[in-house]
Amino acid sequence: MTALKLASASSNGPVVLGLSAKNGRLTIHHGEVPTKKAFPSSEEKRLLLSILKDLGATGTVDEVVKVPFSKPRLVIFTGLGVTSNQIDHELLRRASGAATRSLLAIQSANYLLPHTSVEELAAIAEGAALGGYVFSEFRKDSKKDALPALATAIIISPLSASGAAKSAIRRAGIIGRRTTLVRDLINTPPSHLTPKTFSERMKKEASALGLKVEILNETSLRQKGYGGISAVGQGSANPPRLLRVSYSPAKAQQRIAYVGKGITFDTGGLALKPADGMEAMKSDMSGAAAVIASVMAIAELKLPIAVDGWAALAENMVSSTATRPSDIISMYGGKTVEVINPDAEGRLVLGDALVRAQEFAALDKSGATLLGVVDVATLTGHQGVALGTRMSAAMTNNPEFQTLFLQACAESGENFWPMPFPEELRPTFDSPVADIANMGDRMGGMLVAGMFLREFIKPENPWLHLDIASPAYNSGTAFGYTPVGGTGVSLRALIRLAELAVSQG
Ligand code: BES
Ligand code: ZN
Ligand code: ZN
């Protein structure tokens, strides 16, 4: 990952500037230039603008234009958009990220992007940290084809001396490193990431931060009645796990539970998925990776709020021991479910984990009140059909909690859209033989899945269900600060939600 440094003036190396256009006129945007002699002077700007015009630069979002110069030797222009009058945080984050993605195998670059507040500075720093990601762990002969990310982004700011700016850079570094962890886990194939290795790797990282870790193996899961996780995992030679990572600062008055779907590979089970695109199902543990990484980040930020991260881990495979359509399973807490479709496995592992997360929070003796429960899951293909590849869904039993979450999204540059629970869908997953079935109407499938999870939520507990199925994994091309493969979506929103909970007491 690209490391971050804060400075008041540029040092050697390329310089990153912003570019926008309005009515066909290009404008160069840059941060406050500290001395009269510093780059770019108004003369240099005129020269650069004429070069940019000749190059056909448009200043659109995600456009990066590199101009060989003399001092500095290279200037990188990153698009800030053609129509916007106002440069918002997310635009800066994206522009900074796109520039970083284009700066491979370089030691350091100076980011002279426009900002007047610490929040804008933070967005620039986050974009640089998030854009500087390259996954080359499994390349051997072709290692040279994957150039390393920019080593250091030097963020140039007139605010560099302030404590707020320094902590914003530190926070951006934490977000960058934890997003890197999430992306690495998503990109790691199921040959190398199983429920066991996922939980062991997270245990190592979490223990290093002094966090409490509990791992239930397949035997304890069966014994304790985790029928959902057990049923999904029973077809695989790589048995399931339930991982809990807890951060419990002494002075916490609030507690929050984050629960993630951790299917290390989803073949669909006996409802086998088509071969085309099945490889993307290595990303079916994205929610689990995000929630556990968020607990680590919240601990590193030393926020005075207790957080439990739960990862419901299983591999959904096809074998003679796999769960069959029509099997009836007994979930944690006793509810019975008729498994109509073994490919609707996420809701089964999450049902168990959600019940346990609420039970655990209720047993907590610290006196902290439960702010809410948030589950994060690559739950349905319908999510992508409804909202596309860059917009995730947020469903809830508590509109106030959802409003707080959407504020966290707006402030962290995450795209989530509220989705309803139309009550007429509820009877569609009635079962003639069990309490409920794991599938209902195909139409509105994302909402049905959310309503299935609602069955496992105590009505008094504020709850959010986040379906990140499509945005979790970028099968297209890179954009802004988002690379190809694992994206890390939801992590920043989860961190911001905890911060907002603390600040709003
Ligand atoms: N893991 C998939 C959902 C998914 C699809 C994630 C595409 C990412 C990209 C999930 O387990 C699944 O297969 N859901 C089914 C549910 C259906 C059988 C009710 C789906 O969406 O088709
Ligand atoms: Zn599935
Ligand atoms: Zn799945």
Side-chain angles (χ1 to χ4, degrees):
M1 185 199 101
T2 299
L4 301 173
K5 240 173 93 178
L6 185 59
S8 59
S10 298
S11 28
N12 283 337
V15 172
V16 177
L17 303 176
L19 186 67
S20 78
K22 209 175 171 188
N23 306 325
R25 263 184 74 104
L26 293 172
T27 308
I28 293 174
H29 301 259
H30 55 77
E32 197 178 298
V33 179
T35 64
K36 285 233 157 54
K37 274 188 290 173
F39 175 82
S41 67
S42 35
E43 205 172 313
E44 286 166 326
K45 266 209 254 187
R46 270 197 297 279
L47 175 59
L48 282 163
L49 276 171
S50 68
I51 297 171
L52 285 165
K53 227 175 122 206
D54 292 348
L55 285 171
T58 60
T60 42
V61 173
D62 277 352
E63 179 190 78
V64 173
V65 182
K66 295 182 180 177
V67 179
F69 207 58
S70 66
K71 252 183 177 184
R73 290 221 306 269
L74 183 64
V75 186
I76 294 100
F77 288 93
T78 185
L80 291 170
V82 278
T83 49
S84 62
N85 281 321
Q86 213 193 337
I87 301 168
D88 71 19
H89 298 173
E90 179 59 3
L91 211 49
L92 285 171
R93 205 180 274 110
R94 280 189 71 161
S96 174
T100 311
R101 271 196 302 104
S102 79
L103 289 167
L104 296 173
I106 288 179
Q107 259 320 303
S108 71
N110 302 285
Y111 287 61
L112 197 59
L113 289 171
H115 63 279
T116 50
S117 66
V118 171
E119 289 74 24
E120 289 168 342
L121 170 69
I124 294 166
E126 279 173 33
L130 295 168
Y133 176 83
V134 175
F135 184 71
S136 58
E137 196 182 325
F138 294 94
R139 287 185 184 270
K140 289 289 180 275
D141 288 353
S142 61
K143 199 113 196 159
K144 58 182 183 322
D145 299 337
L147 297 174
L150 169 71
T152 307
I154 308 169
I155 315 293
I156 312 300
S157 175
L159 310 167
S160 65
S162 81
K166 285 177 189 148
S167 59
I169 297 290
R170 203 181 81 82
R171 181 180 179 277
I174 291 169
I175 285 176
R177 280 190 297 280
R178 291 307 162 195
T179 302
T180 296
L181 171 63
V182 177
R183 290 173 178 172
D184 282 351
L185 287 165
I186 297 171
N187 293 333
T188 302
S191 50
H192 292 73
L193 190 77
T194 63
K196 182 166 183 272
T197 60
F198 181 109
S199 43
E200 282 168 358
R201 187 165 163 186
M202 289 304 216
K203 180 178 180 165
K204 211 169 141 203
E205 299 240 5
S207 304
L209 294 172
L211 302 174
K212 268 227 166 63
V213 178
E214 178 192 36
I215 300 171
L216 297 186
N217 66 15
E218 71 274 26
T219 316
S220 346
L221 286 168
R222 274 282 180 218
Q223 259 169 13
K224 293 177 195 285
Y226 291 89
I229 301 176
S230 301
V232 174
Q234 73 188 32
S236 172
N238 299 306
R241 295 285 183 274
L242 176 63
L243 164 72
R244 173 176 61 87
V245 174
S246 289
Y247 167 60
S248 319
K251 48 202 175 298
Q253 287 171 5
Q254 300 175 89
R255 172 169 221 103
I256 190 157
Y258 289 160
V259 182
K261 171 178 175 182
I263 301 299
T264 50
F265 196 73
D266 183 10
T267 64
L270 287 169
L272 189 63
K273 288 181 181 293
D276 231 12
M278 200 202 276
E279 69 282 358
M281 284 303 117
K282 71 174 179 177
S283 70
D284 215 17
M285 33 52 68
S286 300
V291 305
I292 303 297
S294 78
V295 180
M296 294 174 184
I298 289 164
E300 288 171 298
L301 291 166
K302 299 192 166 62
L303 295 181
I305 180 169
V307 191
D308 302 312
W310 297 86
L313 298 156
E315 190 180 50
N316 192 19
M317 295 292 279
V318 191
S319 77
S320 69
T321 59
T323 295
R324 294 149 293 230
S326 81
D327 276 357
I328 295 178
I329 61 175
S330 172
M331 304 282 285
Y332 190 72
K335 203 183 284 292
T336 59
V337 175
E338 183 187 10
V339 180
I340 300 291
N341 192 327
D343 195 13
E345 84 297 341
R347 61 198 77 182
L348 302 178
V349 300
L350 284 173
D352 275 356
L354 283 167
V355 172
R356 175 61 183 147
Q358 292 167 94
E359 178 187 64
F360 185 82
L363 290 171
D364 171 44
K365 298 268 187 309
S366 74
T369 56
L370 181 65
L371 176 81
V373 180
V374 183
D375 76 71
V376 188
T378 47
L379 204 60
T380 67
H382 306 90
Q383 178 283 322
V385 176
L387 294 171
T389 55
R390 299 188 189 182
M391 179 68 71
S392 303
M395 288 153 260
T396 193
N397 64 352
N398 184 310
E400 265 176 51
F401 192 38
Q402 191 181 50
T403 301
L404 187 66
F405 177 74
L406 293 175
Q407 184 189 339
C409 292
E411 293 178 4
S412 57
E414 295 245 43
N415 293 322
F416 279 82
W417 203 258
M419 281 289 165
F421 288 143
E423 287 308 326
E424 66 274 16
L425 294 177
R426 171 60 194 84
T428 70
F429 57 95
D430 280 345
S431 161
V433 287
D435 293 339
I436 45 175
N438 80 329
M439 216 184 114
D441 245 12
R442 198 174 64 82
M443 299 302 227
M446 169 171 62
L447 318 174
V448 170
M451 292 172 77
F452 179 93
L453 295 179
R454 190 180 63 175
E455 297 293 312
F456 298 88
I457 302 295
K458 288 201 171 126
E460 66 269 26
N461 290 336
W463 161 68
L464 274 164
H465 161 53
L466 310 179
D467 194 337
I468 60 168
S470 257
Y473 191 77
N474 179 11
S475 320
T477 51
F479 57 93
Y481 51 78
T482 304
V484 168
T487 62
V489 296
S490 82
L491 175 68
R492 299 199 310 277
L494 295 175
I495 297 169
R496 189 70 197 139
L497 179 64
E499 287 174 333
L500 285 178
V502 168
S503 68
Q504 303 191 357

